[in-house]
Amino acid sequence: MRRVLIAGVVICFGSLCVFAQGEQSPKDQAAKTVRAEKFAAEIEMAKLALAAHGGDKLKAMKTLVIKGSVDVTTSVSAQAFPATFITIFSGDKYRIEIANPFQPLKQVFDGTQTSSTIRGGFSLPPINRLGFPMLPRLGEQGFVITALPESKSKKKGFRMTSPEGLYTDFYLDEKTNQIKGYDSTYVIDGRSITTSVEIDKCSVVDGITVPEKYSQRFDTEQMTIYANFKAKEILVNSEVKDSVFSLTE
């Protein structure tokens, strides 16, 4: 009989605990509602940005090739040196190349491995996981949309995080909903780097709105690098051979 009473007390106590955990105060319910509404707002903002840059055409884009010029300065030397650049994207694969007489660099990702010509074993972050190349991945598994951090909450925008944990904070134009800038902080090879981009001009190619003129800043632990990019040729869905994603190409 005693065992039955003890079992009954345990069951009743457990039921009370479950009930207590399931019951929410009006304050908790209100906070949950606010979080849900804010999450919906960020998703909607991300969708507006995607639509402003081509929507379904951007998501269906197979390849993107951008060629142009870039002027680079550093906090060590204010004298700009001219260079040319090319970025090639094909799915997750990419190639970036900056040609200049002082320190030319190449970095490629063939879908499995990243290779770079940068000295000291250093490499750039995966450029398909930061900035504009992230936007077409909206809605895909592992790409998460959240609100901007509190320090940036007055800006119109959202944060997008990749499956690898790399994030970009996007800022939108109030009228067009196009991306007017973005920034990110990440750690690569044990070094903390912050990068920020301001977009001055976009170009529409085959229904897709692509940044054409923009400035980028890299803050490393050793110096700050400034680069002003200007695209001279933008190709959408052109044929790109797999051999391009090798340093030997």
Side-chain angles (χ1 to χ4, degrees), residues 6-156:
I6 293 174
V9 170
V10 171
I11 291 172
C12 290
F13 181 74
S15 299
L16 288 173
C17 288
V18 171
F19 178 77
Q21 291 172 357
E23 186 178 9
Q24 292 184 331
S25 68
K27 184 178 180 179
D28 291 337
Q29 290 177 342
K32 185 176 180 180
T33 299
V34 169
R35 288 195 298 269
E37 291 176 349
K38 191 169 183 59
F39 175 72
E42 308 307 331
I43 292 292
E44 182 60 27
M45 205 175 301
K47 289 180 178 179
L48 289 174
L50 179 67
H53 284 274
D56 290 340
K57 289 185 178 180
L58 179 60
K59 286 189 69 65
M61 181 177 65
K62 301 299 183 183
T63 64
L64 175 64
V65 179
I66 304 176
K67 303 177 182 179
S69 61
V70 55
D71 291 329
V72 181
T73 59
T74 70
S75 56
V76 177
S77 173
Q79 182 176 358
F81 63 86
T84 60
F85 78 93
I86 179 171
T87 56
I88 304 173
F89 299 94
S90 178
D92 269 342
K93 301 175 184 179
Y94 69 80
R95 178 187 183 98
I96 180 171
E97 185 172 344
I98 298 180
N100 64 83
F102 305 104
Q103 189 176 349
L105 68 87
K106 298 177 185 179
Q107 182 163 305
V108 298
F109 178 65
D110 61 8
T112 303
Q113 184 176 359
T114 300
S115 302
S116 175
T117 62
I118 303 177
R119 294 193 296 265
F122 183 72
S123 63
L124 297 173
I127 62 173
N128 59 346
R129 291 294 188 262
L130 295 171
F132 183 74
M134 283 263 284
L135 189 59
R137 314 306 293 266
L138 178 63
E140 295 184 17
Q141 185 175 1
F143 291 86
V144 180
I145 301 297
T146 54
L148 293 173
E150 188 65 29
S151 60
K152 305 174 182 178
S153 59
K154 292 184 179 180
K155 298 182 179 182
K156 180 180 181 180

Side-chain angles (χ1 to χ4, degrees), residues 126 128-130 134 142-144 160-168:
N128 59 346
R129 291 294 188 262
L130 295 171
M134 283 263 284
F143 291 86
V144 180
M160 189 171 186
T161 305
S162 75
E164 298 82 5
L166 295 169
Y167 73 85
T168 296

